[in-house]
Amino acid sequence: MKLGRLNHIGVATPSIADSIAHYRDVMGATSITEPFDLPEQGVKVCFVDTPTDSSANSALNGTQIELIEPFDENSPINGFLAKNPSGGQHHVCYEVPDIATAREEFEGMGKRILGPTRIGAHGTPIFFVHPKDMQGMLTEIMETPKDGAH
Amino acid sequence: MKLGRLNHIGVATPSIADSIAHYRDVMGATSITEPFDLPEQGVKVCFVDTPTDSSANSALNGTQIELIEPFDENSPINGFLAKNPSGGQHHVCYEVPDIATAREEFEGMGKRILGPTRIGAHGTPIFFVHPKDMQGMLTEIMETPKDGAH
């Protein structure tokens, strides 16, 4: 595959509300989406936009911080938060033009894919690759939204 | 402060050579800098460029992956690698227009800064903020290079 845009880094948090306050009040973020539930993946989610270019005012196209909070007691991030009670870096996510082609390529390289391809937080198909096959990084692969939005 | 560009995410690795092969052969990166030593910080470093925009060919201005390997037995990342033998996400780095102003702001908010302001891998002043004060994220703050380059 050809390396795609680093769409977001995923940050696990025990409280999205506290994390939003941190990114707004400590880090100075001005563009933060409303949190929403993603029950199929067991998380609540919101995105913090970062500027693409230091000199520009636009927040478009910068890599996003994805804040993820457990949705319920079955959330797949509960284990991570048990080990990291204050939260922390959880995964990275790269874009690809076509999810089926990317899945075939990773499978062809013998990389372990975690579960089926499914719809992610941006509304496009995604899958996760096992961190043990990705140098310790839980890696999400997502199909680029067709409208070019985040 | 106003949130700046997410300049890079720092990835600790036991072997930069192995990681370069991974980002080139598995992930399809086409723009990877030559590794160099940063003995004052106890690490060897290289950067993997990621594209800014999914539809563009340019690799300029995308968030970088910073690969860091221990320089010697005193490296500050040896502890991280002892806990994470295959490596993994180590820190994030945001740009600011002026490092002294940013340092004063973080100190004013009671955030613990780790050591003095010093010159980082991009040749501009940087400092690190304690992960316990940053929701579990070791956070590097770096002054934007004056030439607008990485």
Side-chain angles (χ1 to χ4, degrees):
Chain A
M1 63 179 267
K2 185 176 186 312
L3 189 67
R5 176 171 173 258
L6 181 60
N7 184 279
H8 64 261
I9 62 171
V11 175
T13 174
S15 162
I16 277 193
D18 288 352
S19 287
I20 287 175
H22 171 86
Y23 281 95
R24 184 188 60 217
D25 301 335
V26 175
M27 296 303 295
T30 54
S31 177
I32 303 177
T33 70
E34 282 294 313
F36 59 97
D37 295 337
L38 207 58
E40 318 84 67
Q41 301 201 29
V43 290
K44 297 181 189 182
V45 180
C46 85
F47 290 98
V48 179
D49 291 330
T50 70
T52 295
D53 189 297
S54 320
S55 60
N57 292 317
S58 168
L60 287 176
N61 279 330
T63 294
Q64 291 178 309
I65 312 298
E66 179 187 41
L67 301 173
I68 45 178
E69 179 188 287
F71 181 72
D72 57 25
E73 68 278 10
N74 298 317
S75 178
I77 67 170
N78 285 334
F80 181 91
L81 287 170
K83 286 184 204 159
N84 306 275
S86 55
Q89 294 187 47
H90 179 264
H91 68 273
V92 291
C93 173
Y94 292 97
E95 293 181 9
V96 294
D98 184 83
I99 200 75
T101 303
R103 187 169 179 120
E104 280 169 21
E105 287 179 348
F106 278 99
E107 285 172 343
M109 291 185 285
K111 303 297 181 187
R112 281 167 289 181
I113 294 176
L114 301 166
T117 298
R118 52 200 185 275
I119 298 299
H122 286 92
T124 66
I126 63 108
F127 60 83
F128 283 91
V129 190
H130 198 297
K132 292 213 165 152
D133 291 345
M134 299 299 282
Q135 309 214 313
M137 310 268 283
L138 176 60
T139 303
E140 180 180 354
I141 302 294
M142 80 173 253
E143 193 168 286
T144 303
K146 290 290 181 284
D147 61 5
H150 286 309
Chain B
M1 64 178 267
K2 184 175 187 314
L3 188 67
R5 175 171 172 259
L6 181 60
N7 184 280
H8 64 261
I9 62 170
V11 175
T13 175
S15 162
I16 277 192
D18 288 351
S19 287
I20 287 174
H22 172 86
Y23 281 95
R24 185 189 59 218
D25 301 335
V26 176
M27 295 304 293
T30 54
S31 177
I32 303 177
T33 70
E34 281 294 313
F36 59 97
D37 295 338
L38 207 58
E40 318 85 66
Q41 302 202 29
V43 289
K44 298 181 189 180
V45 180
C46 84
F47 290 98
V48 179
D49 292 331
T50 71
T52 296
D53 189 297
S54 320
S55 58
N57 291 318
S58 169
L60 287 174
N61 280 329
T63 294
Q64 291 177 308
I65 311 298
E66 180 187 41
L67 302 173
I68 46 178
E69 178 189 289
F71 181 71
D72 57 23
E73 69 277 10
N74 299 316
S75 177
I77 67 169
N78 285 335
F80 181 91
L81 287 171
K83 286 185 204 156
N84 306 275
S86 55
Q89 293 187 47
H90 179 262
H91 68 273
V92 290
C93 173
Y94 293 97
E95 293 180 10
V96 293
D98 184 85
I99 200 76
T101 302
R103 189 171 176 118
E104 282 168 18
E105 287 179 348
F106 277 98
E107 285 172 344
M109 290 186 285
K111 302 297 181 189
R112 281 167 287 180
I113 294 177
L114 301 166
T117 298
R118 52 200 186 275
I119 299 299
H122 287 91
T124 66
I126 63 109
F127 61 82
F128 283 91
V129 190
H130 199 297
K132 291 214 166 149
D133 291 345
M134 299 299 281
Q135 309 214 314
M137 311 268 283
L138 176 62
T139 304
E140 179 180 355
I141 303 294
M142 80 172 252
E143 193 167 286
T144 302
K146 289 290 181 282
D147 62 3
H150 285 310

